[in-house]
Amino acid sequence: MPVEDWRVTQWHHYLAEGRHAEMHYLEQHLEKRLNPKLLVEGARSVVCVALNYFTAEDFPADSYTLSRYARGKDYHDVVKERLQKMLNSIADLTGKAYVGRAFCDTAPVDEHYWAWRTGLGWLGRNTQLIIPQAGSYFFIGTLILTEEIDAYDAPQPNRCGTCTRCIDVCPTRALSPHTGLDARRCLSYLTIEHRGALPAFASQVLHPCFYGCDRCQEVCPHNRFSTPTSCTDFVPSQDLLKMTPNDWHTLEKETYQRLFKGSAVKRAKFEGLKRNIQQMQE
Ligand code: SF4
Ligand code: SF4
């Protein structure tokens, strides 16, 4: 049930080298992150599911953009609601009132590891879960169950081969073939989690995406399999897609609140979004 030794070592190196930047919550509850039994008493099984968030609707070519995952409703809410329904169904099937807990990026669960371990896909050099014939534009949901399951899936082999496209495209050299991701250099971390001014090396290469970064997914050859999601919650609103660069520069709090009501973008707060837009160099 605990994660395997190689993953434990990976986590210890990642934290010791400070590659988690200021995400101190990753240091806290590390033991729980490495062992679901410490998070869910009586845990016996892990089930992972993936929900596609790729949409056909996109920003026009001359617009500023946001990372794909942040264009619709907050995935925490959407995925959690579906997971809860799964839990309820499992409870009904077993006739038990409690069968475990549901997680989607809200607790110390090593979701990428478990998604790999449960056979959903492999972890690419861009650190994303890549699902064969489907790509990486997916949210991961995890159930930690107190029930045994009849048969468990085996992990998928890594199919990155000799490809290094994601490493080569990263404008801030945040990806290493040996150590993985350095959040201190990642635009996704810097535009969302980082507080204070953006470092110059980041603001120089942000344009046109001022929230998150999809470059290392966009170049991944396995994302040629992406197809539009059937989950309408992730479809961006026309109001969002119609925003011009000038609209973004003159964005006021009222419009921000309307555009991002119920969205994960609220994590960066209005001030954080304004900072990104103002510091983005064209
Ligand atoms: S999200 Fe962007 S900045 Fe971060 S590793 Fe990928 S390409 Fe680099
Ligand atoms: S771009 Fe290439 S190396 Fe990177 S995750 Fe995709 S297949 Fe793997």
Side-chain angles (χ1 to χ4, degrees):
M1 175 59 83
V3 308
E4 289 158 81
D5 289 349
W6 64 266
R7 187 64 169 179
V8 175
T9 306
Q10 227 176 39
W11 268 106
H12 282 297
H13 283 163
Y14 179 71
L15 296 172
E17 290 161 15
R19 284 186 279 121
H20 59 311
E22 287 152 34
M23 293 183 282
H24 299 300
Y25 61 86
L26 291 175
E27 294 161 30
Q28 294 153 4
H29 310 299
L30 181 62
E31 292 306 311
K32 283 185 186 161
R33 194 177 296 280
L34 300 177
N35 186 356
K37 277 182 183 291
L38 302 177
L39 190 66
V40 176
E41 199 181 337
R44 298 167 87 182
S45 305
V46 179
V47 173
C48 284
V49 292
L51 184 58
N52 181 8
Y53 64 83
F54 185 84
T55 60
E57 297 79 2
D58 207 344
F59 289 95
D62 55 352
S63 294
Y64 294 168
T65 68
L66 293 88
S67 185
R68 283 190 172 277
Y69 87 87
R71 296 177 185 180
K73 289 216 176 92
D74 190 336
Y75 67 97
H76 299 94
D77 301 334
V78 177
V79 177
K80 199 81 183 280
E81 191 183 323
R82 290 177 178 227
L83 287 173
Q84 197 54 51
K85 284 184 184 162
M86 286 180 70
L87 261 190
N88 293 344
S89 299
I90 297 167
D92 286 348
L93 280 172
T94 58
K96 294 182 182 167
Y98 178 82
V99 289
R101 291 174 61 192
F103 302 95
C104 179
D105 203 13
T106 45
V109 177
D110 192 352
E111 289 170 335
H112 280 75
Y113 168 84
W114 286 110
W116 166 77
R117 184 69 189 79
T118 58
L120 272 187
W122 77 95
L123 301 183
R125 293 199 173 98
N126 59 6
T127 72
Q128 301 293 319
L129 173 79
I130 304 178
I131 301 178
Q133 312 290 312
S136 65
Y137 294 113
F138 286 83
F139 297 120
I140 301 168
T142 307
L143 298 178
I144 299 180
L145 301 176
T146 51
E147 297 295 301
E148 286 276 351
I149 293 174
D150 289 345
Y152 294 89
D153 291 320
Q156 300 263 349
N158 187 304
R159 295 175 195 175
C160 282
T162 56
C163 175
T164 56
R165 284 193 205 182
C166 52
I167 293 172
D168 301 337
V169 80
C170 178
T172 56
R173 316 304 297 166
L175 288 170
S176 151
H178 309 295
T179 54
L181 180 73
D182 189 336
R184 293 168 297 192
R185 297 195 65 79
C186 176
L187 297 176
S188 198
Y189 165 79
L190 290 166
T191 57
I192 298 169
E193 306 276 350
H194 175 71
R195 301 289 174 252
L198 295 174
F201 73 81
S203 53
Q204 283 160 4
V205 295
L206 271 191
H207 182 266
C209 184
F210 62 86
Y211 186 92
C213 171
D214 286 336
R215 289 167 171 99
C216 56
Q217 296 198 83
E218 283 164 355
V219 297
C220 181
H222 296 278
N223 275 329
R224 70 183 182 279
F225 296 113
S226 303
T227 53
T229 181
S230 59
C231 181
T232 52
D233 287 330
F234 299 139
V235 175
S237 70
Q238 284 305 310
D239 283 353
L240 184 68
L241 297 179
K242 281 194 302 208
M243 290 286 284
T244 66
N246 185 55
D247 292 337
W248 286 118
H249 279 287
T250 56
L251 182 72
E252 294 193 348
K253 196 152 190 180
E254 204 182 337
T255 311
Y256 161 82
Q257 282 170 334
R258 180 173 52 79
L259 284 176
F260 297 116
K261 188 163 181 271
S263 151
V265 170
K266 289 244 167 117
R267 187 174 181 91
K269 304 213 164 42
F270 176 64
E271 292 72 23
L273 215 64
K274 291 291 278 187
R275 172 205 62 183
N276 296 349
I277 295 162
Q278 282 160 2
Q279 285 197 239
M280 182 164 63
Q281 295 174 22
E282 293 193 36

